[in-house]
Amino acid sequence: MAETTIPMLPCRSSLIQPVVDFYTALGFRTTYLQKSPYVYAVVERGAVELQLYGMKDYDPAASHSGCYVLTDDVDALHTAFRAGLKAAHGRVPTRGLPRIGPLKDMSYGVRQFLMTDPTGNTIRVGQPISEDQSHRRAPKETFARALHMADLFADSKQDLPGAAKIIDRVLGLTDETPTPVQKVRLLVLRGDIAQRMGETERAAGLLAEAAAVRLGPDESESAADTLARLADLRG
């Protein structure tokens, strides 16, 4: 006996075509699309199938819906999805709806990224990179701990205000100072969070501050992923 689980995700009825177009840009095929008597769509990419049902008054900004897709090559999917979205939108969308986030090695042994469709559903795409799936203990050093916890709040718990509070607290310290690399990482993550919360001016200021931090050659190399994210966010 074989079983299959298929996620059913809500969608604002009026957004069904933009949502289908979003998944088309990612390489999904639309295998079913119904607009009457009620909205329903099915999109498929290889073994991944998502079903979307319409709700007239559904608020994408308040959505908490989503699913997790496991893969054995998360880097390749991230590259392919970014390329598809850039071809469809003329840029890689990193803010608002839809958007795609950066690749991150999470503290629970998974390398993953998040993407959110036009109706607010968040699809996590991840690849196990460790046999130990339990949470790694948070570092004791102040700024490393803040980065660790803020990452978890932002991209696992999806508590953006909580993540922002963690970073704002440590950036406001007067008796301790982060290393230049830590400061860039904190500012870029905080700018990303601000963009996702719709705080456009705040995000621009944080990202400009991050860009102004001077890094040596070795520091730039160790912060390469963060600097690439900074470039994406500044667009």
Side-chain angles (χ1 to χ4, degrees):
M1 182 170 62
E3 290 79 28
T4 301
T5 298
I6 300 173
M8 297 177 62
L9 304 174
C11 171
R12 188 166 188 164
S13 298
S14 61
L15 290 177
I16 189 61
Q17 193 59 55
V19 170
V20 166
D21 291 344
F22 171 81
Y23 288 105
T24 298
L26 299 178
F28 284 75
R29 295 182 302 113
T30 303
T31 57
Y32 186 81
L33 178 57
Q34 171 183 291
K35 297 185 179 180
S36 179
Y38 56 89
V39 169
Y40 207 92
V42 180
V43 295
E44 298 181 34
R45 188 184 195 276
V48 179
E49 177 178 337
L50 305 176
Q51 299 192 8
L52 301 128
Y53 60 93
M55 297 176 64
K56 183 178 180 181
D57 298 320
Y58 188 75
D59 180 6
S63 174
H64 291 279
S65 301
C67 68
Y68 206 112
V69 175
L70 286 175
T71 177
D72 60 3
D73 196 344
V74 70
D75 288 74
L77 275 184
H78 189 249
T79 298
F81 287 172
R82 281 173 56 90
L85 291 173
K86 185 173 183 178
H89 295 271
R91 61 180 181 83
V92 178
T94 59
R95 69 197 77 171
L97 296 175
R99 65 177 178 267
I100 185 169
L103 272 170
K104 292 183 179 181
D105 293 341
M106 305 304 293
S107 64
Y108 39 86
V110 175
R111 182 166 172 80
Q112 71 173 27
F113 66 94
L114 277 61
M115 59 185 182
T116 305
D117 70 20
T119 200
N121 295 306
T122 296
I123 313 299
R124 300 169 184 263
V125 183
Q127 176 181 358
I129 55 175
S130 170
E131 293 183 1
D132 182 3
Q133 300 293 298
S134 58
H135 278 282
R136 187 180 73 243
R137 289 189 177 184
K140 293 184 178 180
E141 193 275 327
T142 300
F143 301 100
R145 182 182 181 86
L147 282 164
H148 174 97
M149 296 304 298
D151 250 339
L152 289 177
F153 271 57
D155 288 337
S156 293
K157 191 179 179 183
Q158 292 204 70
D159 179 358
L160 296 181
K165 185 176 181 180
I166 291 169
I167 297 173
D168 290 344
R169 184 186 67 79
V170 296
L171 287 177
L173 294 176
T174 57
D175 57 340
E176 294 184 74
T177 304
T179 67
V181 170
Q182 287 176 328
K183 186 172 183 180
V184 168
R185 287 176 174 159
L186 286 164
L187 288 168
V188 169
L189 179 55
R190 184 63 180 89
D192 185 7
I193 291 166
Q195 280 195 358
R196 289 158 65 180
M197 293 174 67
E199 300 171 347
T200 306
E201 291 186 11
R202 180 84 182 273
L206 289 160
L207 297 173
E209 187 177 351
V213 176
R214 300 188 66 177
L215 299 176
D218 290 344
E219 292 171 323
S220 294
E221 184 175 349
S222 69
D225 287 348
T226 301
L227 296 175
R229 181 60 175 164
L230 174 60
D232 269 353
L233 293 168
R234 300 192 80 191

